[in-house]
């Protein structure tokens, strides 16, 4: 049997809304795994947040398909001056890092790949396609410290940890906050 060819597609917010259910299914599948083990309440939260995020300035999404099936996705938004992104930091950062102005930072909100497609450069391709045309000076993301494969990939791809944060949801885990310079 031949392995299906992976196809990548960039979607704007409107088009992303039309495939929201497939993206939510991918989110649910990936985050049911260790170290996350997140349940249906997280999938519902994803749907709610995605509806708002896909309408935000600087929204960008790249989706990977193989054999007609969504196997990966990455998306993010441009941080606005009043963003809550830098709130709830466990590790304090100087204002020159956390102060946002238009066009400074793009947040990589999600980068997900189904288990059978991992270690085949799908995540790297999604990552690179998402960041290749960004006009912002830098990008940021959050990742669980226990997500060792993701941590290793981000380090290889030029991301550096700058802080830790805990989202204000009850029982929320601690996340590493990472930054990658895009433009000098």
């Amino acid at each position: 049997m031949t392995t299906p060819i992976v196809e990548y597609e960039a979607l704007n917010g409107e088009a992303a809304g039309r495939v929201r259910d497939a993206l939510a299914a991918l989110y649910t599948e990936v985050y049911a795994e260790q170290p996350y083990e997140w349940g249906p309440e997280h999938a519902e939260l994803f749907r709610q947040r995605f509806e708002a995020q896909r309408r935000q300035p600087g929204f960008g999404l790249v989706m990977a398909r193989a054999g007609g099936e969504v196997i990966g996705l990455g998306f993010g938004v441009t941080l606005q001056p009043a963003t809550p992104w830098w709130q709830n930091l466990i590790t304090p950062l100087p204002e020159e890092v956390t102060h946002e102005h238009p066009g400074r930072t793009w947040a990589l909100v999600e980068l997900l790949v189904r288990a059978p497609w991992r270690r085949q450069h799908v995540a790297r391709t999604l990552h690179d396609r998402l960041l290749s045309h960004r006009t912002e000076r830098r990008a940021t993301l959050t990742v669980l410290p226990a997500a060792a494969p993701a941590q290793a990939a981000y380090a290889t791809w030029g991301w550096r940890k700058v802080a830790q944060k805990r989202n204000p949801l009850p029982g929320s885990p601690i996340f590493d906050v990472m930054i990658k310079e895009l433009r000098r």
Side-chain angles (χ1 to χ4, degrees):
M1 181 171 153
T2 334
T3 303
I5 294 171
V6 178
E7 297 174 332
Y8 297 89
E9 181 181 7
L11 302 175
N12 64 21
E14 184 179 331
R18 291 193 291 271
V19 294
R20 182 188 62 230
D21 291 342
L23 304 180
L26 174 63
Y27 179 96
T28 301
E29 180 182 322
V30 170
Y31 283 121
E33 301 169 8
Q34 289 185 359
Y36 312 99
E37 298 178 329
W38 295 344
E41 67 282 1
H42 287 92
E44 182 55 34
L45 187 58
F46 167 81
R47 286 176 178 277
Q48 292 170 10
R49 287 183 175 170
F50 186 73
E51 275 307 299
Q53 290 161 334
R54 72 184 184 88
R55 292 178 168 86
Q56 289 181 8
F59 175 84
L61 182 144
V62 176
M63 179 174 60
R65 290 182 190 258
E69 174 187 29
V70 176
I71 62 161
L73 76 93
F75 75 87
V77 299
T78 302
L79 295 183
Q80 300 304 300
T83 183
W85 185 270
W86 301 107
Q87 295 174 3
N88 306 303
L89 292 174
I90 295 168
T91 313
L93 291 172
E95 188 173 331
E96 66 249 19
V97 175
T98 63
H99 177 75
E100 291 297 337
H101 51 78
R104 181 180 192 199
T105 309
W106 192 74
L108 177 57
V109 176
E110 297 292 350
L111 183 61
L112 308 170
V113 176
R114 284 202 156 98
W117 292 92
R118 293 182 193 144
R119 292 174 188 78
Q120 297 181 45
H121 306 290
V122 174
R124 178 65 190 251
T125 303
L126 289 166
H127 172 272
D128 291 352
R129 286 180 181 227
L130 280 165
L131 296 181
S132 67
H133 299 300
R134 299 306 321 167
T135 59
E136 295 84 1
R137 281 190 28 231
R138 66 183 187 174
T140 186
L141 60 80
T142 59
V143 60
L144 282 179
Q151 289 274 358
Y154 291 133
T156 299
W157 301 341
W159 294 82
R160 64 184 171 84
K161 178 181 166 182
V162 295
Q164 287 192 313
K165 73 183 286 185
R166 182 186 304 258
N167 292 335
L169 302 172
S172 181
I174 292 173
F175 290 88
D176 288 342
V177 180
M178 302 182 98
I179 288 180
K180 177 181 175 71
E181 297 301 322
L182 300 178
R183 310 278 178 264
R184 298 247 177 233

